[in-house]
Amino acid sequence: MIKNIKLTKERIVITLILIMSAILNFVNIGIEGYGNSYYAAGVKSMTMSLKNFFFVAYDPSGYVTIDKPPLGFWLQAISAKIFGFHGWSILLPQAIAGVIAVWVLYRIVRRSFGSAAALISALCLSITPVFVAVSRNNTIDNTLVMTLLFACWALTIAAEKGKFKFLLISLVLVGVGFNIKMLEAYMVAPAIYIVYLLCNTVSLKKKIVHLVLGTLVLVMVSFSWAVIVDMVPASSRPFVGSSTNNSEIELIVGHNGIERLSSSSSGMGGGGTPPSGGMKGERPSGMQGGPGGQSQSGSQGQMPSGNQSNSFNGTQGQPPSGQNSSSSSGSSNQGMQGGPKGQMPSGGKMERPSGMGGGFGGANGSTQLTGTFGGQTTAGFQRLFSKNILSDQIMWFLPIAFLGFIAAALKEKLRFVLDTEKKRAIVLWFLWLFPEFIYFSFTKGLFHNYYLTMMAAPAAALTGIGVTSMWKLYKEGGWKGFILPVALMINGAAQALELSYFISSLSSLVKGISIAAVIMTFVFSIALCAAKFIKNENLKLKTAFAALAFTGILIMPFVGSAATLKYAVSNNMPAAGLELLMNSGKGGSQAGGMGQENTQSNSKLVTFLKNNITTEKYALVVSSSQSADSLILNDNLSVMTLGGFSGSDNTITLAKFKEMIKNGEIRYVLTGGMGGGSSNNSILQWVQKNGKAVASSEWSNSSSTSNSKSNGFGGQRNEQLYDLKGVIK
C-alpha cells in the first residue's frame, strides 16, 4: 500500500505544513499547565464517575456543572482516562483538532480551486496566532472549528451533487458543534443554507424541502443533550452552572446566548456590573489562586516582582518545570486589577495596569493594549485592526482575504446562481467570514479574544483562493492585474500598523525580522507592479516577485505563532502573536492574554480539612469556583461552590443548606475570597452569624491572609473559615 503512494511535490508540501502545524501545537505544551483551571477541574471531576461525565459536573460530588455543553470536554475526559490526568492529556484533543482542521481546510479548498490555493490556505491557517494559541489550550473552540470544517466539506459535496444525505451530514455536524460550544456553532449556518439554496444542482422546490427537513434534524441534534438534562429531576443531577433556573435551555438562551449580544457593562454581558465573583463562564487568566494563599511573583508568565496583587482565586495546577509543584491549594493571587490602585474603572470596564507581564501591557508596561474583553474595545470596522487585545490574534490575513474574495468574484464572474464549484466555494467562505467580521467588529456583548479563532479558517481559505485568483488576473493583463500587488501592499501596510503597536517592546532580533518582512512585502510588490510594464515576458521573474512579496506577509504571524514554543499562551485567555514577545529579550513578558497562573500551595488548609473531615460529603463550601479549582485539581477534595462559577448562581436555598448541615453533609465554609454574589448573601451572612470562626493560624499559610483585602475584578474580601459542627441540632 505504501508503494502506491506517490511523493508528489504537493504531498511533500502539505506534509511539511502539517508537520509544522503539529510542532506549533504540540512542542513544549507542558508549559501550559492545566490550561483553563475551571474547565480542567471539571474534566478531572468528569473522570471520577459516569454521572459527572454525562452532566459535565464541575466538582467531584456533582453539585454544579460547568457552563458549556459536553462534547468537547468529553473528549478531554476520555483522553485523561486513557493517558492519566495530566495537563498535556487534557490539551491533547485540541492540539490534534488543530492539525486535523488544517488538513480538512486543505482538502476542501483543493476540491474547488486546486492545489496551490489549498496549500496556501492550509499554511495561513497553521500560522494564524489565535488558531495556534487555542490549539494549545483546553478551551474547546478549535474542536468546534474542526467540526464545522467537516460540515463545510459535506456541504460542498451536497451542493455539487445535489445529494440530500450530504446536506443532512453537514447539518448534523453543525448540531454536533452546537454540543461543543452552543450557539457559536450556528455562525456558519448562514453560509451553509445560502450556498445550498443558490446551487443549481437541485430544483428550488427540492432545495426548500431538503433545508426544512435538515433544519429539523439540526434542531434535534443540537438540543438532544440539553433536553435530556432538563428532563432529569433536579434532585438527581447537578445544578446547571451559570443558568438562572437550573436549566440547560435557559443557559443556551441566556448566558451563552443573549449575554453574548448584550450591550451592557462594556461587553461584560448580562446586566450591568459583574457579580463579585467576576465573569461567568470564562475567567480571565492571571486571576487565579486558592483560598488562603499568598501572592507570588515569578517567571513563565507570572507577574513581575513588585506587581503582586490578590485577585481571582484558582491555580494552574500543573506548573511548568522548575516551578513549585507541590500538591495542594494553589494561590498565586497575582491577578489583574483594573484601574489605579487595583480599582475597577467605572462601568465595570477593566484594563491591565502597566507593569504586569504578559499580553496587555508588556513586562515593563511599555505597550498598553486596551480592553480586557472584546466588547470593551471600541466598536467599528477598525476594531480588529486597532491597538487592542484582538487585532494581534487575527488581523494578519484579513485585508488580503477580503480583497481576494473580490478578485475571485471578478475572475469567476460571480452571480446569484452558483453554477460552478468555484463560485460555491467563494460564497461559502465569504459568508462564513464576513458575518463573523461584522459581529466581532461591532458587538458590545461578551466575547473573548480567543473566539476569533472562528474567523481563522475562512480567512485562510479566502487568502489561498484570493492569491491564486489575483495571480491569474495578473497574468491576463489589464487593470485587474494590479489587484495582486496592491492587495499585498495593503496587507503589508496593515501588518506594519500592527507592528507599530508593539515595536518599542520587542527585542532587537524580533524587531529586525518584522521590519524586514514589511520592507520585503513592499519592495517586491512594487517590483511586481513595475514588471507589468516590461514588454519582455519573464514569468519566472514575476513569479519570484509575487512569492517573495507574499512570503513577507507570512513572516510576522509565523513569528508570533512560533513564540508559543517558548512562552505560555495564557491559561484562560489563550493568545499568541507579538504580544507574547514583548520585552522577551529582556526577560519580560512571558505569557499572552492576561497573565499566567502560578502554583503556590496552601498546605495548611488542605491538611486541616483532611484531618478534620470525617463523614461529610463536602470537604469545604466556598462562594464560587474561583476558590475551588486548586482544591479539586491538586488535592482531590470535594468542594461545594454555592454560586457556581461566579458566585451568582442560585444553586441552593438557606433552608436546604441548613438541612444539609443537619444531615452531616457540610461542616466547613470559607467566606470571603472571590465570588459570593447577592444570591448567596443570606447563606453567607447566616454562616458568619452562627458559625464558629476558625483561627487563621490553624488553616492559613499566612496569618495575614484572612485579613487581606483586594478591590480587584472579583472584589476579594476578607477570607474566614467557619466550623458549622453542632450549629443545627
Side-chain angles (χ1 to χ4, degrees):
M1 183 176 179
I2 297 177
K3 293 181 180 180
N4 294 328
I5 298 177
K6 295 181 180 180
L7 290 178
T8 62
K9 289 183 180 180
E10 180 183 352
R11 286 178 176 170
I12 292 173
V13 173
I14 187 58
T15 299
L16 292 174
I17 291 172
L18 293 174
I19 290 173
M20 182 182 66
S21 178
I23 290 172
L24 292 174
N25 291 1
F26 287 96
V27 172
N28 206 19
I29 201 170
I31 65 174
E32 309 298 345
Y34 285 128
N36 184 306
S37 57
Y38 170 62
Y39 294 143
V43 169
K44 185 168 189 178
S45 298
M46 290 165 63
T47 64
M48 296 179 180
S49 75
L50 285 175
K51 180 178 179 181
N52 285 355
F53 179 83
F54 180 78
F55 290 109
V56 288
Y58 164 74
D59 56 285
S61 293
Y63 178 73
V64 67
T65 74
I66 55 179
D67 62 354
K68 293 292 181 290
L71 191 54
F73 299 110
W74 282 351
L75 296 176
Q76 294 179 26
I78 291 170
S79 177
K81 290 296 285 186
I82 294 172
F83 301 108
F85 187 82
H86 310 286
W88 64 266
S89 67
I90 63 175
L91 302 183
L92 183 62
Q94 289 70 243
I96 294 173
V99 177
I100 294 174
V102 171
W103 177 76
V104 176
L105 181 66
Y106 159 77
R107 296 295 300 179
I108 300 173
V109 175
R110 189 178 186 275
R111 283 179 54 84
S112 54
F113 275 87
S115 59
L119 292 170
I120 292 171
S121 300
L123 176 60
C124 291
L125 179 60
S126 69
I127 63 172
T128 299
V130 68
F131 182 78
V132 174
V134 176
S135 293
R136 297 174 64 91
N137 188 265
N138 61 331
T139 53
I140 62 268
D141 295 71
N142 274 0
T143 306
L144 173 61
V145 170
M146 177 193 69
T147 304
L148 296 182
L149 282 171
F150 275 114
C152 288
W153 195 351
L155 183 275
T156 59
I157 299 173
E160 176 191 351
K161 299 182 177 180
K163 299 279 187 172
F164 173 59
K165 66 179 180 181
F166 286 103
L167 175 66
L168 210 57
I169 291 171
S170 178
L171 293 176
V172 165
L173 286 169
V174 175
V176 170
F178 186 92
N179 284 286
I180 296 174
K181 204 76 190 287
M182 291 187 176
L183 291 172
E184 190 173 327
Y186 284 177
M187 297 183 84
V188 76
I192 291 175
Y193 277 77
I194 293 174
V195 168
Y196 192 75
L197 194 62
L198 296 181
C199 74
N200 69 331
T201 52
V202 185
S203 67
L204 179 60
K205 182 178 179 180
K206 280 189 176 181
K207 285 187 288 189
I208 293 174
V209 172
H210 290 176
L211 288 172
V212 169
L213 294 176
T215 301
L216 293 175
V217 173
L218 169 64
V219 172
M220 289 174 60
V221 174
S222 298
F223 289 86
S224 55
W225 178 80
V227 170
I228 291 172
V229 171
D230 283 357
M231 289 177 64
V232 175
S235 59
S236 301
R237 60 170 172 80
F239 182 92
V240 177
S242 296
S243 70
T244 59
N245 63 353
N246 196 12
S247 165
E248 286 288 346
I249 299 298
E250 193 282 329
L251 176 66
I252 294 168
V253 175
H255 175 60
N256 288 327
I258 295 174
E259 283 189 28
R260 309 294 165 166
L261 301 172
S262 171
S263 61
S264 62
S265 187
S266 296
M268 290 189 172
T273 57
S276 63
M279 286 307 307
K280 293 180 182 179
E282 286 100 353
R283 181 182 319 151
S285 101
M287 297 178 166
Q288 314 292 328
Q294 298 172 334
S295 295
Q296 174 75 10
S297 63
S299 62
Q300 279 302 354
Q302 300 161 16
M303 192 185 333
S305 176
N307 291 287
Q308 295 95 332
S309 61
N310 292 324
S311 190
F312 268 103
N313 296 333
T315 182
Q316 178 174 323
Q318 186 177 1
S321 175
Q323 293 186 27
N324 182 357
S325 60
S326 65
S327 167
S328 51
S329 168
S331 63
S332 75
N333 288 337
Q334 69 189 58
M336 169 177 161
Q337 300 184 15
K341 299 181 182 179
Q343 302 291 333
M344 181 180 292
S346 61
K349 183 175 181 178
M350 176 176 60
E351 299 205 7
R352 188 182 186 90
S354 64
M356 298 181 71
F360 297 112
N364 299 316
S366 55
T367 299
Q368 179 77 28
L369 301 187
T370 61
T372 300
F373 299 99
Q376 293 178 338
T377 57
T378 303
F381 283 110
Q382 80 287 350
R383 176 187 273 174
L384 299 185
F385 302 94
S386 301
K387 186 178 180 181
N388 56 48
I389 65 170
L390 306 175
S391 58
D392 186 31
Q393 302 308 302
I394 194 62
M395 62 72 55
W396 301 101
F397 302 114
L398 288 182
I400 201 165
F402 284 120
L403 291 171
F405 163 75
I406 295 172
L410 289 172
K411 175 63 179 171
E412 302 304 323
K413 297 179 174 55
L414 185 63
R415 300 291 185 270
F416 273 105
V417 178
L418 306 182
D419 53 3
T420 68
E421 251 186 286
K422 291 185 176 182
K423 291 179 181 179
R424 290 189 287 269
I426 295 168
V427 173
L428 171 65
W429 298 117
F430 180 75
L431 289 180
W432 182 344
L433 178 64
F434 186 68
E436 291 188 353
F437 175 79
I438 295 298
Y439 171 77
F440 288 121
S441 295
F442 289 94
T443 184
K444 296 181 180 179
L446 166 63
F447 77 92
H448 305 309
N449 57 321
Y450 60 89
Y451 289 10
L452 294 169
T453 193
M454 283 287 290
M455 296 176 63
L462 285 176
T463 299
I465 291 170
V467 167
T468 53
S469 297
M470 287 186 281
W471 175 243
K472 290 177 182 178
L473 292 174
Y474 180 86
K475 290 191 296 181
E476 290 175 2
W479 68 268
K480 295 177 185 178
F482 287 99
I483 296 178
L484 176 59
V486 170
L488 289 168
M489 284 189 282
I490 291 174
N491 205 93
Q495 291 193 359
L497 177 64
E498 188 68 25
L499 175 61
S500 70
Y501 304 150
F502 299 91
I503 195 164
S504 62
S505 302
L506 297 174
S507 68
S508 298
L509 177 61
V510 176
K511 189 185 303 182
I513 291 173
S514 301
I515 293 174
V518 172
I519 294 174
M520 183 177 177
T521 298
F522 275 94
V523 167
F524 288 105
S525 295
I526 293 171
L528 200 59
C529 283
K532 280 191 66 63
F533 297 101
I534 299 176
K535 293 182 179 180
N536 295 327
E537 185 72 19
N538 192 334
L539 189 59
K540 287 185 178 180
L541 182 64
K542 294 177 180 179
T543 302
F545 288 162
L548 289 169
F550 183 70
T551 300
I553 71 171
L554 295 174
I555 291 174
M556 275 196 282
F558 173 75
V559 169
S561 294
T564 61
L565 301 181
K566 185 176 182 181
Y567 304 119
V569 301
S570 175
N571 295 340
N572 300 320
M573 290 286 184
L578 295 181
E579 66 181 71
L580 279 187
L581 295 166
M582 290 192 298
N583 293 303
S584 59
K586 303 174 184 178
S589 173
Q590 305 212 17
M594 298 165 62
Q596 199 73 9
E597 299 172 41
N598 178 37
T599 298
Q600 184 183 21
S601 64
N602 179 9
S603 55
K604 256 191 173 181
L605 175 62
V606 176
T607 301
F608 177 86
L609 292 173
K610 289 184 176 180
N611 288 341
N612 290 278
I613 293 297
T614 55
T615 60
E616 289 82 4
K617 181 178 181 180
Y618 298 100
L620 184 68
V621 177
V622 296
S623 300
S624 68
S625 70
Q626 283 95 321
S627 297
D629 292 348
S630 60
L631 297 174
I632 295 172
L633 281 170
N634 295 339
D635 305 295
N636 299 315
L637 293 179
S638 179
V639 185
M640 176 180 177
T641 54
L642 280 178
F645 171 82
S646 65
S648 62
D649 295 349
N650 283 297
T651 65
I652 192 171
T653 63
L654 178 58
K656 178 63 177 176
F657 187 77
K658 291 179 179 179
E659 182 182 338
M660 294 180 72
I661 297 172
K662 185 177 180 180
N663 294 337
E665 298 177 78
I666 295 172
R667 178 173 178 182
Y668 292 104
V669 177
L670 184 69
T671 63
M674 307 314 304
S678 59
S679 60
N680 299 305
N681 282 347
S682 60
I683 294 176
L684 297 177
Q685 290 170 3
W686 181 88
V687 168
Q688 292 170 332
K689 181 178 179 180
N690 296 278
K692 177 184 176 182
V694 181
S696 62
S697 59
E698 295 186 42
W699 61 273
S700 174
N701 282 350
S702 170
S703 59
S704 64
T705 299
S706 62
N707 296 318
S708 66
K709 294 183 179 181
S710 169
N711 293 319
F713 178 55
Q716 181 166 343
R717 301 182 297 277
N718 295 345
E719 282 187 333
Q720 178 60 59
L721 186 68
Y722 288 92
D723 187 350
L724 301 181
K725 185 176 182 179
V727 169
I728 298 178
K729 305 296 184 181

